[in-house]
């Protein structure tokens, strides 16, 4: 390995570089982005409130008469909610904590994608591709809005899948998770 390529690899940004910056942007989204879709309210936040507090609105899709939707996905979010309720019974704090957890997962998956771009075959471009992708990810208003939305599960999984193209073990795990 020549000293020039070693120097270039040492300056290449990684997960620990991208994650804090993306986390700051995604936590801002969790705090300041409004709820822009009625499906988000009635298909995720209201059922989550029902699961956590025993009361709330129930859409016909969740009612036992039709049972089109399962509470399994809601229960994943309720894990965070139950943990927060132990420390603060305030429902507003629980709402923002769940949004912050979703934003953290989103920032982690995006940072993984960017760090894999920096260490993959694209690294021969000298670090420009991860920097450009970082600017696009951090500055996109659509990604800002969707980073703290519960119905965007694919939004958090897609960067993981794209970043793991060279890692066959992780890629198999993500495929298995999606097709179980």
């Amino acid at each position: 390995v020549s000293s020039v390529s070693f120097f270039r690899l040492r300056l290449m940004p990684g997960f620990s570089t991208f994650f804090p910056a993306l986390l700051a942007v995604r936590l801002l989204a969790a705090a300041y982005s409004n709820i822009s879709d009625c499906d988000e309210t009635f298909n995720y936040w209201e059922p989550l409130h029902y699961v956590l507090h025993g009361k709330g609105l129930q859409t016909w899709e969740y009612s036992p008469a039709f049972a089109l939707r399962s509470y399994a996905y809601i229960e994943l979010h309720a894990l965070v909610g139950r943990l927060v309720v132990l420390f603060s019974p305030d429902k507003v704090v629980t709402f923002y904590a769940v949004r912050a957890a979703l934003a953290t997962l989103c920032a982690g998956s995006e940072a993984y994608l960017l760090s894999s771009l920096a260490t993959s075959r694209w690294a021969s471009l000298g670090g420009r591709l991860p920097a450009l992708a970082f600017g696009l990810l951090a500055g996109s208003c659509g990604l800002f809005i969707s980073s703290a939305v519960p119905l965007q599960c694919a939004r958090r999984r897609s960067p993981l899948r794209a970043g793991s193209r060279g890692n066959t073990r992780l890629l198999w795990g993500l495929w298995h998770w999606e097709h179980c």
Side-chain angles (χ1 to χ4, degrees), residues 3-42:
S3 62
V4 173
S5 64
F6 177 73
F7 180 71
R8 201 178 272 172
L9 284 175
R10 287 189 45 97
L11 292 180
M12 205 55 86
F15 185 86
S16 61
T17 304
F18 294 121
F19 182 69
L22 286 169
L23 182 63
V25 173
R26 299 303 173 227
L27 287 177
L28 284 172
Y32 295 110
S33 181
N34 61 352
I35 296 175
S36 58
D37 187 15
C38 63
D39 284 340
E40 180 182 351
T41 301
F42 294 109

Side-chain angles (χ1 to χ4, degrees), residues 95-120:
F95 171 76
Y96 283 112
V98 171
R99 284 178 63 116
L102 294 171
T104 302
L105 289 173
C106 190
S109 67
E110 290 172 346
Y112 177 75
L113 169 65
L114 293 174
S115 64
S116 69
L117 285 176
T119 58
S120 67

Side-chain angles (χ1 to χ4, degrees), residues 71-179:
Y71 278 98
Y73 185 68
I74 300 298
E75 286 291 337
L76 291 174
H77 298 86
L79 293 173
V80 175
R82 286 186 185 105
L83 184 65
V84 172
V85 168
L86 291 175
F87 299 104
S88 172
D90 188 8
K91 296 175 186 177
V92 175
V93 172
T94 305
F95 171 76
Y96 283 112
V98 171
R99 284 178 63 116
L102 294 171
T104 302
L105 289 173
C106 190
S109 67
E110 290 172 346
Y112 177 75
L113 169 65
L114 293 174
S115 64
S116 69
L117 285 176
T119 58
S120 67
R121 64 176 179 234
W122 303 104
S124 62
L125 295 175
R128 288 174 286 208
L129 183 62
L132 177 65
F134 170 76
L136 293 172
L137 285 171
S140 169
C141 69
L143 298 178
F144 180 84
I145 292 169
S146 68
S147 63
V149 176
L151 48 91
Q152 297 293 334
C153 184
R155 163 77 178 87
R156 287 173 281 284
R157 264 197 333 232
S158 296
L160 282 175
R161 291 204 328 251
S164 65
R165 284 190 56 92
N167 187 345
T168 56
R169 184 179 303 151
L170 182 59
L171 186 62
W172 181 86
L174 291 171
W175 180 87
H176 183 65
W177 174 39
E178 182 176 307
H179 291 89

